[in-house]
Amino acid sequence: MGSKALFRAGRVAALWLGLPLAMAATSGGAHAACHLAQVAALQVINDSGTPLVKAKINGQDVVFAVDTGNARTSLEMAAAQKLGLRLISAPGGMRMYGAGGEINVHQTTVDLEFGGAQAHHLDLLVVGQPGRDFGFAALIGWDLLQHWDVEFDLAHHVIRLLTPDGCKGDDVAYWASAYSKAPLGWNEMYDPEIKLDVLLNGRREQAELDSGAERSTVTPEAAAQAGVTPETKPEDQSYGLGPAAISVSTATFKTFSIGGEEIKNARIEVADMFSKDTYTETGSLLRHQVEDLPQMLLGADFLRAHRVMIATDQRVAYFTYAGDPVFDLGQARAAPSPATGTQVQAGPAAKAQDK
């Protein structure tokens, strides 16, 4: 579900920093010197797919999606229309791109409540296609989330926003004595998104940690470079925020590795998510491909199969395997066969096999 914006104005995150969030002190766990202050605990209301939380817009009850792959916290066009919001042109000639091509961008002003926070007269982007309803009103993007450590504890239906004090490393993974970890990279000023390296059949590729993507997805180019051909024809279709439908197939990778965790016989969706992400420069008729797009989206299925701490100051993700299928294609959760089923070879913390 992630998006990339060009010519953007960096106003949203600054507004959020001033919110009067209630803070409750909690213990950091393993190391006494490490203290994690809980800024907010977002209660997740769904059991699968992109995590959803309750919120209010102008006093009306709505649902928000927590989307680490979305560069900007924004409202959905269909929800803005239902709420009767007044839309104006996006600031500064902003253009946004994501799965399915260039995204319509407008702006509106709302009063907003979620996770114990309130903001009045808040300017937010409005994105997406008229008439396309994803079932939630807004996307809580990485421009907002990056100001805290973010813990995805989806097995217990909660996402915690935390402020670390005196934490130097693995002590933020307070729930486990052992863990896997992966270094992260992002650019706060120009394109807030979480990037990390993964191995597909031993070949290094760049992935984006995208809770807004219901399922993890690999581009056809990355699959081909890993020596893999899709097993199914691209018959199914899905949509991102862009206008174009995306054809989806599946492929099996002998190994998928991240941060010391290895998954064998990983069956993952394959889709040409970003082929429509092109633009023309002023004074030119030539179309250019948007650069620096990920070769994989590591989606909500991965996050639901793990407990994950995104330690923003450290630029590290700590995670432990929770026991569910890592790449959930919607099949029944029966034990996989040894020959073809997805298997997890744990990092130091994940001791169970995929179920």
Side-chain angles (χ1 to χ4, degrees), residues 194-215:
I194 313 174
K195 298 178 181 179
L196 66 167
D197 288 337
V198 301
L199 297 177
L200 294 169
N201 288 353
R203 181 182 176 86
R204 189 175 303 278
E205 297 287 358
Q206 186 177 78
E208 181 176 325
L209 188 60
D210 185 0
S211 61
E214 181 175 343
R215 296 173 181 170

Side-chain angles (χ1 to χ4, degrees), residues 290-351:
V290 175
E291 298 178 351
D292 199 28
L293 295 170
Q295 294 300 301
M296 180 177 187
L297 298 181
L298 200 58
D301 51 355
F302 178 87
L303 289 169
R304 288 188 177 276
H306 296 83
R307 188 163 176 175
V308 181
M309 177 71 80
I310 302 172
T312 56
D313 288 343
Q314 298 180 41
R315 301 294 198 266
V316 174
Y318 297 90
F319 56 97
T320 56
Y321 177 53
D324 283 342
V326 177
F327 301 117
D328 185 3
L329 298 183
Q331 66 269 35
R333 297 193 172 189
S337 69
T340 60
T342 301
Q343 301 174 359
V344 174
Q345 180 175 333
K351 297 184 171 70

Side-chain angles (χ1 to χ4, degrees), residues 1-4 96-103 241-242 273-274 277:
M1 193 64 78
S3 66
K4 173 183 283 285
M96 294 187 75
Y97 300 85
E102 186 168 354
I103 301 165
L241 292 178
M273 301 169 282
F274 305 117
D277 285 13

